[in-house]
Amino acid sequence: VGSCSADELFPGKSSSAEQEPTEMVMDPNNGVYIPKSEAIKKTIDGKEYYFSSEQSAEEFINKQKSP
């Protein structure tokens, strides 16, 4: 699993930036910002978190479980 830059994920992003701004959320597991619309939402201990991938969400949950 490699990380890609924002340019690879969103080609031509600058041209669509004039439209509504995309709400960005941070993945608490790896500190990556992703568009809220594309993020994976998980509720953990009553709090909502947004993740860039299922794998990242699982890692975060596992970190919470370990003492």
Side-chain angles (χ1 to χ4, degrees):
V1 181
S3 59
C4 10
S5 69
D7 295 323
E8 291 172 45
L9 289 173
F10 309 107
K13 188 178 173 198
S14 55
S15 61
S16 60
E18 287 90 7
Q19 288 149 26
E20 65 181 275
T22 306
E23 187 179 351
M24 302 296 280
V25 290
M26 192 179 86
D27 182 328
N29 182 55
N30 55 24
V32 170
Y33 282 87
I34 56 265
K36 191 172 184 180
S37 59
E38 294 176 25
I40 294 160
K41 184 169 141 187
K42 299 277 184 194
T43 304
I44 303 162
D45 295 331
K47 284 188 189 170
E48 287 181 357
Y49 295 93
Y50 294 90
F51 297 94
S52 55
S53 67
E54 284 287 349
Q55 183 182 358
S56 183
E58 283 174 32
E59 284 175 18
F60 182 78
I61 291 164
N62 289 337
K63 282 183 197 170
Q64 302 304 301
K65 287 180 188 163
S66 57

